[in-house]
Amino acid sequence: MRVWLPTVLLAALLGGLSVGMSVLEPLFAWVQPDTSRVIYERESFAFLLYNHLMLVVVSAVIGTIAAVAGGIFATRPAGRDFLPLVSQIASIGQTFPPVAVLALAVPVLGFGEAPILLALILYGLLPILRNTLAGLEGIDPAVREAALGMGMSPLQVLLRVELPLAGKVILAGIRTSVTINIATAAIGSTIGARTLGDPVIAGLVNGNTAYVLQGAILIGLLALTADSLFEALERNWDRHSGRVRPPVFR
Amino acid sequence: MAKIDGTAAPRPTPNRVVPVLAAVALVLVWLLDLGTIQPNRIVPGTGHGLVSAVGWPGAGLVSLVLIASLAVSILPLAWRYWALLVLAGLSLALLPLLLEVFAARHLPPDSPYARSSVGAGFWCLLFLLSLMLIEILGRLKAGRGVQLLVMVVIGGSWLVLLRGAGLESLSLVREFNAQPDKFAQALRAHLALAFGAVAVSAGLAVMLALKMMRSPAWQRPILGAVSFMQTIPSLAVFGLLIAPLSALSSAFPVLQELGVRGIGWAPALLALIAYSLLPMVRNTFVALTEVPESLADAGRGMGMSERQLFFQLKVPLALPVIIEGVRITTIQAIGLTAVAALIGAGGFGGFIFQGLGQSAMDLVLLGALPTIALALVADALFTLLAASLRPVPATA
């Protein structure tokens, strides 16, 4: 249970602040003394947090499904021909700066949530794809042979041997992807998505440092919460697979 | 060259990747708009499909090239990949000619504000042809020299064609011509910020890595701190730096004279350095500690001092991995510098956000495309550098 404690605490802080930011009003009034409006009120923080989170979660789910499916396809006999190209795409694609990808999505899809979702999915796919390939390719061929020799079908080998063994590496890829996407979704405010980047952008435009701080604190907390969640998941994975693995392969 | 790796001796198996890419390109280029004509900068334009854009001869030529690459790739010929390389390379190099023909056919002659812009079909064609080229270069196991030559030919051809008179009406070129000085200024600001941050963080990273090697107790706190920095989204870091830096600059007038303020280059540089530390420190540390102890022992046996051991053995062996760290850092810094435009740091991000604000998509492209190009060039240069520094295994 203790592995989950940081996540729970950070999530509670994040939730609490997004509902009751006005508690800190004296602090922000001290930072930004010359204005009457110190707390961002154009949209509730809870709504912005929810929207931000949904963008990241939806893109992570779609991206994970697509990337893992692609990775599995490229490592099967039927798709092997595509492996070099797919791994090249995964590595070259990551040299594209996320902001540029975000900006390029606008001329294609217009302003709003659609382009940012597309950009998040496409960009978030790459680290997951790369790690899926690395995880599946990193499995000792002898393990696969042994599983086939035990009479497993190729599908059983994939589901019960390869994916569990590659799982931790894939999870690390999802972690990278989510970290990047939380940051990119925040910048998405500039193209009309309602995220926690809104107060930051509004504050920068109006020269209101208090707004900027409120947005920045919530974005930072969201990133830390997500990161600690993945940290806990990875530790849990270690304990879990440590218990299961030895009787199966020795 | 194909004879060396032995694949040429048996009948070559047909390639399945290039036909798929060519077929997809063929479908998309016929379905999507190749380009649009806008009466002026803001009004949305009218799209033109392949035939309407470049006429039947042009459409035929494009289709022919794609069908030819499809056909050649499934022929069991030893030299087919070289043929495909020439075909795909030339098509990519001459691709802007399609836009030139399109502009010549459709641009109204008497309206100086009319502009042509690139449509989804063209982008798809460009993307799929690039994928084809990557696949072909991979199959050829082409050396760095060939890859570089192909890049130079394609890049050079694009530059010449884009600077030529035929593409003057292209919206991107219009945006560039409207403010060439601003573009040069943005380029300078972008490079100065990104490379400044990389240089400072490289120096810091070496010091931190040496500290970690000397006192292992520092490893966890240092690595923990730099990876914590990497977790916080860039927009938040830029935002969080505003208040302390403006407080500092109002407290110390000296800083104000140097241009240190809550917004501008100072917080941008600080944030970029903080972000650059993780890949830099990790790679430097791992590279220096992973030099095999047996090699160090051999060096000691030859009478090398610890100092000589460090500079003549460890550093040369670690250099490729350190350069890899510099490569990752540089790419990341180029991308983050674009975000830093939000806090007034200049660079290509300025065009992106200005364009987004004015709904001027061509201005967005003028910022986004050079940012991508910079990242790709930095990637290629550092990959090349790391490869050339990789120690050659001893023959003995």
Side-chain angles (χ1 to χ4, degrees):
Chain A
M1 266 298 90
R2 273 183 63 179
V3 287
W4 301 102
L5 192 62
T7 316
V8 172
L9 288 180
L10 281 167
L13 190 58
L14 175 65
L17 266 186
S18 68
V19 177
M21 186 64 88
S22 47
V23 176
L24 295 178
E25 194 163 344
L27 173 73
F28 294 120
W30 173 70
V31 172
Q32 190 72 30
D34 47 348
T35 53
S36 55
R37 292 170 152 239
V38 281
I39 300 287
Y40 184 80
E41 277 165 349
R42 236 171 282 172
E43 207 81 71
S44 78
F45 287 113
F47 170 77
L48 294 176
L49 172 65
Y50 170 79
N51 231 9
H52 199 133
L53 204 56
M54 281 319 282
L55 275 175
V56 174
V57 169
V58 168
S59 62
V61 169
I62 297 176
T64 304
I65 293 171
V68 172
I72 290 172
F73 168 72
T75 49
R76 297 308 100 184
R80 277 249 157 224
D81 286 359
F82 289 84
L83 182 60
L85 184 66
V86 171
S87 64
Q88 283 273 11
I89 294 175
S91 68
I92 296 177
Q94 281 189 301
T95 57
F96 282 56
V99 205
V101 177
L102 201 59
L104 288 185
V106 180
V108 183
L109 292 173
F111 283 85
E113 314 257 292
I116 183 168
L117 198 58
L118 181 83
L120 291 184
I121 291 171
L122 285 183
Y123 199 78
L125 217 150
L126 300 171
I128 310 177
L129 182 60
R130 199 189 50 184
N131 279 30
T132 306
L133 291 177
L136 289 175
E137 288 287 283
I139 296 170
D140 189 347
V143 173
R144 205 174 285 134
E145 294 290 315
L148 285 169
M150 282 167 66
M152 285 185 170
S153 69
L155 183 67
Q156 281 176 318
V157 176
L158 174 68
L159 292 180
R160 292 170 53 183
V161 178
E162 292 184 78
L163 282 182
L165 282 178
K168 200 183 169 198
V169 184
I170 299 176
L171 189 62
I174 301 176
R175 183 182 187 168
T176 311
S177 159
V178 167
T179 307
I180 295 174
N181 276 354
I182 288 178
T184 312
I187 303 166
S189 287
T190 53
I191 62 169
R194 307 257 72 113
T195 70
L196 288 174
D198 279 14
V200 180
I201 304 292
L204 287 173
V205 172
N206 304 329
N208 189 328
T209 312
Y211 286 1
V212 176
L213 269 182
Q214 288 151 27
I217 289 171
L218 288 178
I219 296 170
L221 273 177
L222 176 61
L224 288 177
T225 312
D227 196 62
S228 73
L229 175 69
F230 278 100
E231 179 78 35
L233 281 176
E234 281 180 13
R235 290 209 182 154
N236 222 26
W237 189 285
D238 279 346
R239 280 197 315 203
H240 195 69
S241 54
R243 210 167 52 224
V244 170
R245 207 181 299 169
V248 184
F249 319 103
R250 248 179 308 143
Chain B
M1 244 181 236
K3 279 174 196 134
I4 300 168
D5 56 28
T7 49
R11 219 176 95 108
T13 51
N15 183 299
R16 291 164 51 209
V17 181
V18 175
V20 169
L21 294 174
V24 173
L26 201 55
V27 171
L28 289 179
V29 86
W30 278 88
L31 278 183
L32 301 170
D33 284 347
L34 194 77
T36 48
I37 296 285
Q38 284 173 282
N40 61 47
R41 187 181 178 194
I42 305 298
V43 176
T46 45
H48 291 268
L50 183 63
V51 176
S52 156
V54 290
W56 283 106
L61 188 64
V62 171
S63 311
L64 195 69
V65 166
L66 290 173
I67 291 170
S69 52
L70 199 155
V72 172
S73 62
I74 50 178
L75 287 178
L77 297 169
W79 46 267
R80 64 199 163 129
Y81 283 119
W82 289 104
L84 280 173
L85 178 65
V86 172
L87 199 60
L90 272 184
S91 327
L92 267 175
L94 299 179
L95 211 52
L97 283 180
L98 279 184
L99 296 175
E100 209 165 317
V101 173
F102 169 57
R105 281 170 54 98
H106 286 282
L107 212 66
D110 50 349
S111 53
Y113 296 110
R115 44 176 67 201
S116 60
S117 37
V118 181
F122 184 87
W123 289 123
C124 288
L125 193 60
L126 174 64
F127 178 64
L128 288 162
L129 279 174
S130 309
L131 289 187
M132 231 188 268
L133 191 70
I134 292 169
E135 163 75 11
I136 294 163
L137 285 172
R139 295 285 166 181
L140 277 172
K141 300 194 171 61
R144 297 258 161 228
V146 177
Q147 292 186 13
L148 203 66
L149 183 72
V150 172
M151 296 306 144
V152 167
V153 167
I154 294 173
S157 159
W158 274 70
L159 273 185
V160 169
L161 289 172
L162 284 177
R163 302 293 294 161
L167 282 176
E168 208 198 2
S169 71
L170 194 66
S171 52
L172 200 61
V173 180
R174 282 268 163 90
E175 291 293 343
F176 174 80
N177 286 342
Q179 35 196 359
D181 297 338
K182 266 193 172 174
F183 188 87
Q185 198 187 343
L187 177 66
R188 272 198 304 276
H190 209 109
L191 288 178
L193 257 182
F195 282 95
V198 170
V200 174
S201 74
L204 276 175
V206 170
M207 278 171 10
L208 287 174
L210 289 181
K211 179 79 196 162
M212 278 156 67
M213 285 171 75
R214 281 202 205 103
S215 29
W218 283 84
Q219 284 174 20
R220 275 182 65 92
I222 290 179
L223 281 179
V226 292
S227 45
F228 173 79
M229 280 309 307
Q230 191 91 355
T231 319
I232 309 290
S234 49
L235 194 61
V237 173
F238 290 136
L240 289 174
L241 281 172
I242 292 178
L245 274 181
S246 45
L248 266 182
S249 92
S250 50
F252 300 99
V254 189
L255 289 177
Q256 220 159 15
E257 275 167 39
L258 286 172
V260 176
R261 284 176 303 139
I263 58 168
W265 64 267
L269 188 67
L270 267 182
L272 287 175
I273 291 171
Y275 274 112
S276 303
L277 280 176
L278 176 67
M280 213 71 122
V281 169
R282 196 179 44 199
N283 276 39
T284 311
F285 177 67
V286 168
L288 285 174
T289 44
E290 278 191 349
V291 173
E293 201 47 37
S294 59
L295 283 181
D297 276 342
R300 283 190 199 100
M302 288 166 67
M304 288 169 99
S305 68
E306 285 301 315
R307 193 185 173 78
Q308 281 176 319
L309 218 53
F310 183 77
F311 283 106
Q312 293 177 18
L313 181 97
K314 288 193 176 173
V315 170
L317 281 178
L319 215 49
V321 181
I322 298 178
I323 298 286
E324 169 68 10
V326 178
R327 183 186 70 88
I328 297 171
T329 309
T330 310
I331 293 170
Q332 185 184 281
I334 288 172
L336 288 173
T337 302
V339 184
L342 281 175
I343 53 166
F348 289 128
F351 293 138
I352 296 181
F353 295 117
Q354 199 187 335
L356 288 174
Q358 305 172 355
S359 306
M361 288 310 132
D362 304 317
L363 196 54
V364 175
L365 288 183
L366 188 67
L369 294 179
T371 312
I372 294 174
L374 270 187
L376 288 176
V377 168
D379 179 53
L381 284 182
F382 282 113
T383 310
L384 215 61
L385 186 63
S388 67
L389 286 174
R390 196 149 292 142
V392 184
T395 44

